[in-house]
Amino acid sequence: MNDNLAEPSVPPKLVWITTPDNYDPHLQERLRRKGSERVDTLRAAGFDVRIAHSCDIVPVWNGSPRLLWEKEDLLAEYAGFLVTSWSWDPAIIRHIEAITRTIRASDCVLLTDGTRDPEVLGLDKLAMYHHAAAQGVPVPPTVSVPFGRYARRALEAVRTELPAGPYVVKPRSMAMGFGVLKADTSQHLSSTIDLLTPGGLGCLIQPHVPNDGDVRVYVHEGKVIAALLREPAGKSYLANVSRGGSGSGYEPPADVVESSERLARSLESDYLCVDWLLTGDGHVFNEWMTVSAAYEDLPEPDRRRVADALVQYIRGRLDEGARRPL
């Protein structure tokens, strides 16, 4: 048994590691003033939630894995960790990798590891497409852009492998619509590649498919429990609510329900949020996320159902981790 398991009377500990450098400082100040509904929900469920910034954490090995935060080792007591693991800055990503790998080496639980092989299938959209296609799920044709001075070699692959433009260019490992660009012509595409590749994130090119938005399907313990339709505003091409889109409840068709549940089973994930593009040819897989995915724009009672499922999932992961032998 894990000796760090708290007594039943002590609230279970959660540490949420965020990266404020991902956001404009003014947004960070608004979040500080207004708080976070997600954090409030977890605290109301009885968790002792703490917020730490990744820039303030130093991963260490000294007889055991340690995460030094000011004068404290965050791994000294048994806890669950939620880590915002994406960033536009490759140097930040490398630091976050050091944090998550240190947590995995400890007796604590990395709650954002919600899939089989999270190092590969947690954020990398190209890996997601390969995996989803192997499960018989429809995915968009995709070209991955080589690095540096070789990046333009992707243009020939686009000409032979993708339909004529427009195109969508997106980072391989990002979230919330960051860095997603629409290129209407081959010249636009070439210039977009020229601008993106020096950043070192790696990017993908796909055909821009006219769509009525996207659908996020929430799967808990193998069953779809809710779905959110996100629609772009006006002539926008991004449906993310954080980018001006709107959210509403949605009843997914049977094939999307079955495919979402099949993906969750294949990933050994008890809590998975699967995003689908809503196109004229049906639903096409876009990406998945685990506990970091937003649910706050769902209408009631779906919103409460998903929040309760998230709390149940976190409790289950903490209980499972506590039962692991040392």
Side-chain angles (χ1 to χ4, degrees):
M1 296 287 287
N2 192 316
D3 293 334
N4 288 328
L5 180 61
E7 295 297 326
S9 59
V10 178
K13 296 182 182 298
L14 294 181
V15 180
W16 198 324
I17 299 177
T18 68
T19 299
D21 300 84
N22 284 345
Y23 305 100
D24 185 282
H26 295 306
L27 174 59
Q28 283 293 312
E29 177 60 22
R30 288 199 300 272
L31 289 173
R32 188 191 66 79
R33 290 197 311 266
K34 296 181 179 179
S36 164
E37 180 179 333
R38 185 80 58 95
V39 172
D40 292 343
T41 296
L42 293 172
R43 284 175 174 158
F47 293 105
D48 175 11
V49 184
R50 307 173 71 189
I51 309 297
H53 293 166
S54 60
C55 55
D56 296 326
I57 295 174
V58 180
V60 170
W61 168 265
N62 187 8
S64 64
R66 304 177 70 190
L67 282 183
L68 302 185
W69 182 49
E70 299 175 349
K71 296 182 179 181
E72 180 181 354
D73 176 12
L74 292 173
L75 301 176
E77 295 184 48
Y78 183 66
F81 286 79
L82 300 102
V83 180
T84 301
S85 53
W86 61 270
S87 176
W88 50 267
D89 186 332
I92 294 175
I93 291 173
R94 296 298 291 170
H95 180 58
I96 294 171
E97 286 175 351
I99 291 172
T100 56
R101 290 172 186 176
T102 303
I103 296 169
R104 291 188 189 111
S106 75
D107 295 328
C108 295
V109 179
L110 183 55
L111 296 163
T112 36
D113 269 6
T115 64
R116 175 176 62 81
D117 197 357
E119 286 275 344
V120 175
L121 297 171
L123 279 176
D124 189 336
K125 292 179 177 61
L126 183 62
M128 293 181 192
Y129 298 137
H130 290 319
H131 182 89
Q135 299 299 316
V137 171
V139 301
T142 302
V143 170
S144 182
V145 179
F147 62 93
R149 60 182 178 174
Y150 308 103
R152 285 196 178 192
R153 293 184 180 179
L155 297 174
E156 179 59 30
V158 167
R159 282 190 285 271
T160 60
E161 303 298 326
L162 302 186
Y167 309 97
V168 168
V169 185
K170 62 177 72 172
R172 274 178 57 183
S173 300
M174 286 290 282
M176 297 175 62
F178 275 66
V180 179
L181 295 171
K182 180 184 176 186
D184 291 316
T185 67
S186 295
Q187 287 182 332
H188 290 166
L189 181 62
S190 178
S191 295
T192 299
I193 291 173
D194 292 342
L195 290 171
L196 286 181
T197 48
L201 284 174
C203 57
L204 304 174
I205 305 170
Q206 297 172 334
H208 176 264
V209 180
N211 65 84
D212 295 323
D214 64 43
V215 173
R216 174 164 292 170
V217 178
Y218 300 82
V219 186
H220 179 233
E221 295 185 344
K223 297 295 182 182
V224 170
I225 59 171
L228 174 69
L229 171 64
R230 302 184 298 185
E231 299 175 280
K235 296 182 179 180
S236 299
Y237 62 92
L238 291 176
N240 306 69
V241 176
S242 61
R243 295 303 176 107
S246 60
S248 59
Y250 183 77
E251 188 68 35
D255 61 328
V256 172
V257 170
E258 194 278 329
S259 293
S260 299
E261 293 175 350
R262 180 164 14 116
L263 284 173
R265 289 194 301 271
S266 71
L267 294 167
E268 301 174 6
S269 178
D270 283 337
Y271 185 93
L272 190 72
C273 305
V274 187
D275 289 354
W276 302 86
L277 294 175
L278 186 56
T279 76
D281 296 324
H283 294 69
V284 177
F285 173 75
N286 189 29
E287 62 181 318
W288 60 62
M289 295 182 71
T290 57
V291 299
S292 297
Y295 64 83
E296 288 82 355
D297 297 303
L298 280 164
E300 295 292 2
D302 289 345
R303 183 175 179 172
R304 174 47 51 189
R305 184 183 306 115
V306 174
D308 289 345
L310 177 61
V311 168
Q312 181 180 339
Y313 170 77
I314 291 174
R315 288 191 189 282
R317 289 287 306 277
L318 288 172
D319 289 346
E320 179 186 5
R323 291 193 296 267
R324 287 199 308 259
L326 292 175

